[in-house]
Amino acid sequence: MTYATLALVEREIIEIDESLCNGCGQCVPSCHEGALAIVDGKCRLVSEVYCDGLGACLGECPEGALKIVKRQAQGFDQRLVEPLVRNKDSGPCAGMPLKDKSCPGAMAQKLVPKGEPLGQKNASEEKALGLVNWPIQLDLVPAAAPFLDSRSLILAADCTGYAAPNFQRTFMGQGLPLILGCPKLSDIDGYIIKLGELLRLHPDILELKVVIMSVPCCRGLLYAATRGIMHSQRNDVLVHLFVVQQDGTIDEELPQKMER
């Protein structure tokens, strides 16, 4: 895939009338490309690049909430869809409507941390350590997930939580949502598109706390963050970089606003 995928073209694409949608989820398994998901009780388009515009989902909606329209949208990208199709057609969740899937990554959840407070003084007034959202993998997090409505978002490389003994105390005591990714093992272009959609849908996010390892390949996550901000067409998001050394120490760089 090239960055031409990010450009808008006039084409046919699904449109969802949320006032009619009852969240039944019957349309989700009929979309072979994985373009639809039930988020916060409503059907949502995961990303424009996942929808081929053929309308296989139309006949499954009992409320008539789906229709195909022609408008400016990002182009359909088969390369991004292929891993979604493989995951959908295999494993314990294969063939199940999203609302009925039993696997933990199938539904967005806001969590209440049960870990210990940050410090000893006024511990009752401090937030406990631990996750405030599920899922946490960027590939699995729905772009429209309500738990992303936060002023700051932690975007961390997979290895950082293991390499930095103080990861929880440094980042997890402020009640901020966390998403993880690996720039070496995943598709960076997919990350850029997902982050762009995420930031567009959540205007309250004004800061990305990007946590990476000191190894060169991990800089790809910072690249995805900055490109994702550009893709969202926002200029009010700061990038706050943290670099975890292999000995576990954390170096911090001050937030920087994206320049156009």
Side-chain angles (χ1 to χ4, degrees):
M1 190 188 77
T2 67
Y3 290 112
T5 305
L6 305 181
L8 297 180
V9 296
E10 187 171 353
R11 70 180 186 92
E12 292 185 335
I13 192 170
I14 195 70
E15 182 175 271
I16 305 165
D17 188 338
E18 291 191 11
S19 66
L20 296 178
C21 177
N22 63 7
C24 69
Q26 293 184 37
C27 59
V28 173
S30 65
C31 179
H32 190 63
E33 292 75 24
L36 300 178
I38 303 300
V39 179
D40 200 23
K42 296 288 184 179
C43 179
R44 305 290 173 89
L45 181 62
V46 175
S47 178
E48 292 178 350
V49 297
Y50 296 159
C51 178
D52 59 11
L54 296 180
C57 55
L58 295 181
E60 304 298 333
C61 180
E63 305 297 327
L66 304 178
K67 66 179 179 180
I68 297 294
V69 299
K70 194 169 185 178
R71 64 172 175 84
Q72 292 287 315
Q74 294 170 353
F76 172 68
D77 195 296
Q78 184 65 42
R79 276 190 57 191
L80 288 179
V81 167
E82 287 175 356
L84 296 176
V85 173
R86 287 196 298 269
N87 291 336
K88 183 178 179 181
D89 292 339
S90 62
C93 300
M96 299 174 62
L98 186 63
K99 69 186 184 70
D100 295 329
K101 288 180 180 178
S102 59
C103 49
M107 183 176 295
Q109 302 177 57
K110 189 171 185 177
L111 307 176
V112 178
K114 301 297 183 181
E116 61 177 291
L118 278 171
Q120 300 300 321
K121 295 181 180 179
N122 300 322
S124 61
E125 300 178 2
E126 296 188 31
K127 293 188 177 181
L129 300 175
L131 295 175
V132 299
N133 62 278
W134 187 267
I136 57 176
Q137 283 291 335
L138 180 55
D139 287 330
L140 300 178
V141 172
F147 61 68
L148 295 171
D149 290 326
S150 173
R151 183 177 177 82
S152 298
L153 173 66
I154 304 168
L155 174 62
D158 289 341
C159 299
T160 55
Y162 298 96
N166 288 325
F167 184 91
Q168 285 267 338
R169 291 186 176 275
T170 303
F171 301 106
M172 304 297 294
Q174 302 170 18
L176 302 179
L178 167 74
I179 52 179
L180 300 177
C182 178
K184 187 173 181 65
L185 301 179
S186 298
D187 179 22
I188 291 295
D189 287 325
Y191 278 2
I192 292 170
I193 293 172
K194 185 69 167 285
L195 288 169
E197 290 291 314
L198 185 156
L199 291 171
R200 183 179 61 82
L201 293 172
H202 300 277
D204 289 342
I205 298 177
L206 299 178
E207 180 190 35
L208 289 181
K209 293 179 180 288
V210 181
V211 190
I212 63 174
M213 294 297 300
S214 58
V215 295
C217 61
C218 218
R219 288 267 164 180
L221 194 64
L222 176 63
Y223 176 80
T226 55
R227 286 284 181 171
I229 293 172
M230 295 175 64
H231 179 47
S232 71
Q233 298 184 338
R234 292 181 55 187
N235 58 10
D236 58 342
V237 181
L238 299 178
V239 175
H240 196 163
L241 180 64
F242 299 84
V243 180
V244 177
Q245 304 297 327
Q246 289 170 306
D247 63 2
T249 58
I250 302 175
D251 297 329
E252 179 179 355
E253 293 186 14
L254 296 177
Q256 296 182 355
K257 184 173 289 188
M258 284 294 302
E259 296 183 0
R260 300 293 172 181

